[in-house]
Amino acid sequence: KNQVEQSPQSLIILEGKNCTLQCNYTVSPFSNLRWYKQDTGRGPVSLTIMTFSENTKSNGRYTATLDADTKQSSLHITASQLSDSASYICVVGLSGYSTLTFGKGTMLLVSP
Amino acid sequence: DGGITQSPKYLFRKEGQNVTLSCEQNLNHDAMYWYRQDPGQGLRLIYYSQIVNDFQKGDIAEGYSVSREKKESFPLTVTSAQKNPTAFYLCASSIDRQETQYFGPGTRLLVL
């Protein structure tokens, strides 16, 4: 069964600190992996997308990594800001199919 | 101002009533989608459309219906057959099924 597991479920960090969110997947055949940021009560916004051949992708203070061999991805947030408080969702696409598998998300709270 | 819009932001449904959620995009995207988001769960696909006048059932299509008469519009009807409709509904669009999906702001449906 295709699954995407994210950890931790929730996280609280102090403003200015760094953090890393984890995503493990069992989706096969793998096509791509995306990280989205979802503010409370709003639609998700794409942060990064990586294909099988890419192992890192940055978007400002957000850096995503992908290890396709171990089927793991991480999202590293540097110098966190209050506006980073949101849910971060890992999404995996299947090769040859149009289906996406969504993780449940990690809820991040950045505290002043 | 390009983007994807959903209306209304909040919608109340009475028992036995059908309600329709609006989704419009001016991004010239071929593909459009409807997702349902419940607390503590990942997004689940209700319906998707790859082209005008064509749409496919997703994982949880029972109790829902859609139409795609225009490229820009993909309305979702929540019928009385959907026994647990309370959720946050998200519409998305993409150039095609393999590309990044752009999400609307969402509609929160509540049952009276």
Side-chain angles (χ1 to χ4, degrees):
Chain A
K1 181 180 179 182
N2 291 322
Q3 287 186 315
V4 177
E5 300 288 341
Q6 292 189 243
S7 63
Q9 188 172 16
S10 62
L11 181 64
I12 302 175
I13 62 173
L14 291 175
E15 185 179 11
K17 297 296 185 181
N18 303 336
C19 68
T20 300
L21 313 180
Q22 299 292 341
C23 174
N24 296 336
Y25 61 92
T26 59
V27 174
S28 181
F30 174 86
S31 174
N32 54 64
L33 187 144
R34 312 149 194 242
W35 283 94
Y36 280 87
K37 177 188 179 187
Q38 184 178 21
D39 293 317
T40 301
R42 299 197 171 197
V45 174
S46 179
L47 294 175
T48 63
I49 177 170
M50 290 180 291
T51 60
F52 185 89
S53 60
E54 298 174 295
N55 55 24
T56 187
K57 184 75 70 79
S58 292
N59 179 359
R61 294 179 297 102
Y62 301 101
T63 300
T65 64
L66 173 65
D67 185 335
D69 292 331
T70 61
K71 299 186 177 181
Q72 295 178 327
S73 176
S74 65
L75 180 68
H76 186 73
I77 304 175
T78 303
S80 62
Q81 300 176 359
L82 297 179
S83 59
D84 292 332
S85 296
S87 179
Y88 291 84
I89 304 172
C90 177
V91 185
V92 181
L94 277 76
S95 178
Y97 296 85
S98 51
T99 304
L100 297 177
T101 303
F102 289 79
K104 295 181 180 180
T106 292
M107 180 65 68
L108 174 66
L109 176 63
V110 180
S111 175
Chain B
D1 187 23
I4 180 166
T5 59
Q6 292 184 240
S7 62
K9 189 174 177 64
Y10 295 96
L11 186 59
F12 298 91
R13 193 190 92 164
K14 296 179 180 179
E15 294 286 342
Q17 184 182 43
N18 293 352
V19 293
T20 297
L21 285 61
S22 170
C23 177
E24 304 277 333
Q25 55 96 3
N26 60 6
L27 300 169
N28 200 33
H29 286 171
D30 284 317
M32 297 187 74
Y33 323 78
W34 275 105
Y35 292 94
R36 170 178 172 144
Q37 188 175 37
D38 294 282
Q41 295 196 35
L43 274 68
R44 292 183 290 170
L45 182 65
I46 303 173
Y47 268 98
Y48 66 95
S49 169
Q50 298 187 69
I51 199 167
V52 174
N53 292 322
D54 181 67
F55 49 83
Q56 306 294 328
K57 291 182 178 180
D59 300 320
I60 55 166
E62 185 175 351
Y64 300 97
S65 65
V66 294
S67 63
R68 187 85 186 276
E69 297 177 359
K70 297 188 299 182
K71 187 175 186 178
E72 302 80 16
S73 179
F74 191 40
L76 173 74
T77 296
V78 183
T79 74
S80 58
Q82 172 49 243
K83 299 305 179 186
N84 185 24
T86 297
F88 189 50
Y89 290 86
L90 287 160
C91 179
S93 70
S94 61
I95 295 173
D96 61 41
R97 281 286 279 171
Q98 295 299 321
E99 295 300 318
T100 296
Q101 295 182 17
Y102 294 86
F103 286 84
T107 292
R108 189 166 297 281
L109 176 61
L110 300 168
V111 177
L112 297 177

